[in-house]
Amino acid sequence: MKKIIFFGGKGGVGKTSSATSYGLFCAQKGYKTLIVSTDPAHSLGDIFEIEIGNGIRELDSNLYGLEVNPEATSRTYIKRTKLEMQKILSPILIEEIERQIDAMVVSPGTEEAAIFDELVKIINSYSNEYDLVIFDTAPTGHTIRLLSLPELMGAWMDTLISRRREALELKKMSDTTRRKENDNKFLDDPVLKILTKRKEEYEKTRNMLIDSQRALFIFVLTPEKLPIMETQKAVSVLSKYGIQIGGIIINKVLPKEGISDNFLLKRKETEKVYLEEIYHIFKDLFIIEIPLFPEDIQGKNYLRRVSDLFTNII
Amino acid sequence: MDNEKLKDILDFIKEFIKSAFSPKYNSTRVIQVEANEKMDDFIILCFGELLGLPLPSSYYSIELFPYLVQDIASWESRMLERKEVLTERWGKYDWCC
């Protein structure tokens, strides 16, 4: 049993419906499942027709949902930092610094960083609590960047740590007072502690992500040209980062029988070419097809119908 | 030679070596300059954003703020007042002896 499954793909191909129906399928098999939406434009709650809000909410028996909220995450983070500051700094300084901190929060990249923080937290803590964590991710580009962050940020933290250590060692050497308590000051540097903690968390996350026994990525695509191309690129990037690709879900395939309309028959012809292409390009991967339904995939009943399609292993 | 005298001589040698190679005067200063520079580098890597340099880790540096605040204030004004890097470099080291 895998612990973490990511659902990704181009925008609009049906990531959320596939992820939730797979989640329902696993929940019904008796696995305690958590679905996490990392797309800033959440649609997890919409598909279940409920408001998820902040925090984890039960969606069905054995099935839980969480919509990552980068704003709330960064708010908590800033609040924690400000509290910490009040403990160690004089009140005169604080007002000026708070202004600077507030300015740093609105800088570009904050949202991504906050989502990444949440991802690390979820992977490191919830994956013990739940049998299965399913990530319903944002469109491909976003997600690949997110999944490459543990490695990139890990390296960045390494640089910061070694710089800080060097500087502290030099400071210690040039400290002519040579007092014992100063030695401790250099060794117990809170900055180094924070950086090291972050680095360890990123390492843990990365180890989870590249462990093919525990994590894998499923691509959702539709039998059309652009989604195929995008998926092909994404597969090669993810393999570069060592993340295992579990399978391909072809969504919105026109039904095999019952089409009499000329327009749709023509479309079916085009689709056939793309389907063959998909089976050829991704021949090493597990592939399943989900047909196009006349109605939207919305509400639990429809999700159940789709989840019945998942045969067994992914 | 009695012990008293030997101690005096040894003390004299000790004092001589201490002032000739004392880390207090020159080498300590060089190390201090180096240490400050390394610290500046570190702060630039964390808070370059305050000078307008976008960094991947700006968001994560925020929680370091409380501990680095004292350094940051002087660092920021030093960085912004910087006019000429070469002269600054030149002036930082004691070139004579």
Side-chain angles (χ1 to χ4, degrees):
Chain A
M1 187 71 198
K2 307 285 183 189
K3 282 247 167 216
I4 303 164
I5 297 182
F6 291 90
F7 279 79
K10 204 170 163 58
V13 292
K15 292 181 291 294
T16 306
S17 10
S18 313
T20 44
S21 48
Y22 184 68
L24 263 178
F25 171 76
C26 294
Q28 280 162 6
K29 289 237 156 181
Y31 299 111
K32 195 180 172 194
T33 306
L34 175 69
I35 304 181
V36 183
S37 165
T38 62
D39 191 342
H42 294 296
S43 46
L44 182 60
D46 298 340
I47 207 168
F48 279 93
E49 292 165 327
I50 56 162
E51 184 85 34
I52 291 185
N54 287 329
I56 295 174
R57 186 167 166 180
E58 191 169 358
L59 301 171
D60 203 51
S61 67
N62 245 345
L63 187 66
Y64 300 82
L66 171 68
E67 286 179 343
V68 170
N69 182 347
E71 248 171 70
T73 312
S74 57
R75 250 200 320 270
T76 339
Y77 171 60
I78 299 306
K79 219 165 135 194
R80 207 184 64 216
T81 310
K82 284 183 177 169
L83 271 177
E84 187 63 24
M85 202 159 60
Q86 277 156 16
K87 268 191 262 165
I88 54 179
L89 292 176
S90 77
I92 312 158
L93 273 171
I94 287 177
E95 205 180 326
E96 170 61 25
I97 297 157
E98 283 193 344
R99 236 186 325 222
Q100 271 180 323
I101 289 184
D102 289 335
M104 280 176 92
V105 180
V106 294
S107 73
T110 295
E111 189 175 84
E112 188 191 46
I115 293 180
F116 177 58
D117 259 3
E118 278 290 283
L119 180 89
V120 169
K121 195 178 101 193
I122 292 164
I123 290 182
N124 288 347
S125 52
Y126 294 149
S127 56
N128 295 324
E129 220 173 293
Y130 293 87
D131 297 323
L132 180 72
V133 181
I134 294 174
F135 283 94
D136 169 24
T137 67
T140 321
H142 247 113
T143 303
I144 286 186
R145 170 125 178 93
L146 193 67
L147 293 181
S148 63
L149 278 177
E151 196 178 340
L152 299 177
M153 291 311 300
W156 188 260
M157 288 298 140
D158 274 341
T159 315
L160 288 184
I161 290 171
S162 68
R163 284 300 160 95
R164 179 75 183 170
R165 196 166 280 146
E166 264 174 53
L168 284 177
E169 258 155 29
L170 283 171
K171 274 227 146 98
K172 192 177 143 196
M173 255 192 260
S174 65
D175 178 35
T176 40
T177 56
R178 306 216 184 273
R179 284 202 205 102
K180 269 276 170 290
E181 63 261 31
N182 276 354
D183 268 13
N184 285 339
K185 196 180 92 194
F186 293 125
L187 291 176
D188 291 344
D189 181 41
V191 174
L192 263 185
K193 266 190 202 149
I194 291 173
L195 292 174
T196 316
K197 194 173 144 255
R198 271 196 187 279
K199 195 196 141 198
E200 277 162 9
E201 274 176 1
Y202 295 161
E203 230 158 57
K204 217 169 132 195
T205 310
R206 168 134 182 85
N207 288 340
M208 280 288 245
L209 287 179
I210 58 172
D211 184 350
S212 58
Q213 295 300 311
R214 286 195 286 193
L216 55 76
F217 204 102
I218 291 172
F219 279 101
V220 184
L221 51 79
T222 49
E224 284 162 314
K225 192 176 169 61
L226 296 181
I228 296 176
M229 290 172 73
E230 192 175 303
T231 307
Q232 215 177 341
K233 276 182 222 155
V235 165
S236 67
V237 177
L238 280 188
S239 335
K240 203 182 91 197
Y241 285 108
I243 295 164
Q244 202 209 351
I245 317 290
I248 303 272
I249 291 176
I250 312 173
N251 197 13
K252 301 180 188 170
V253 179
L254 289 172
K256 286 200 168 54
E257 285 141 26
I259 300 177
S260 51
D261 183 70
N262 266 340
F263 176 78
L264 284 178
L265 279 172
K266 179 88 181 50
R267 178 73 221 165
K268 184 106 188 109
E269 282 297 305
T270 326
E271 193 189 87
K272 216 179 132 212
V273 180
Y274 289 128
L275 280 177
E276 274 166 12
E277 199 180 329
I278 293 173
Y279 278 98
H280 175 69
I281 296 174
F282 306 110
K283 56 179 179 296
D284 305 327
L285 301 172
F286 179 80
I287 299 177
I288 63 170
E289 288 178 28
I290 297 179
L292 182 67
F293 291 100
E295 310 89 354
D296 284 351
I297 299 184
Q298 190 147 40
K300 281 180 196 168
N301 286 331
Y302 283 116
L303 288 178
R304 282 223 173 80
R305 267 175 70 190
V306 185
S307 72
D308 285 342
L309 288 168
F310 286 103
T311 34
N312 220 322
I313 38 115
I314 281 192
Chain B
M1 212 189 281
D2 56 33
N3 273 352
E4 195 80 25
K5 213 161 187 186
L6 182 69
K7 197 176 170 282
D8 274 350
I9 293 170
L10 283 177
D11 269 349
F12 176 78
I13 295 172
K14 197 173 132 202
E15 282 305 311
F16 175 78
I17 292 175
K18 232 169 118 186
S19 18
F21 305 103
S22 169
K24 273 203 175 147
Y25 299 102
N26 209 338
S27 38
T28 315
R29 209 179 68 89
V30 173
I31 295 175
Q32 250 158 12
V33 169
E34 192 70 27
N36 287 339
E37 250 172 40
K38 284 268 177 317
M39 215 40 114
D40 280 356
D41 282 357
F42 175 74
I43 294 178
I44 250 196
L45 286 176
C46 292
F47 299 100
E49 198 129 311
L50 295 177
L51 303 178
L53 280 173
L55 290 173
S57 66
S58 289
Y59 177 80
Y60 308 113
S61 309
I62 295 175
E63 66 178 341
L64 305 178
F65 225 110
Y67 309 100
L68 295 173
V69 133
Q70 261 104 5
D71 298 334
I72 288 171
S74 64
W75 165 81
E76 213 182 348
S77 58
R78 237 176 312 134
M79 290 297 130
L80 292 174
E81 274 164 20
R82 246 179 165 176
K83 299 233 161 57
E84 219 177 320
V85 181
L86 279 181
T87 332
E88 194 182 86
R89 281 261 154 196
W90 190 263
K92 256 185 188 164
Y93 294 99
D94 190 359
W95 293 102
C96 146
C97 340

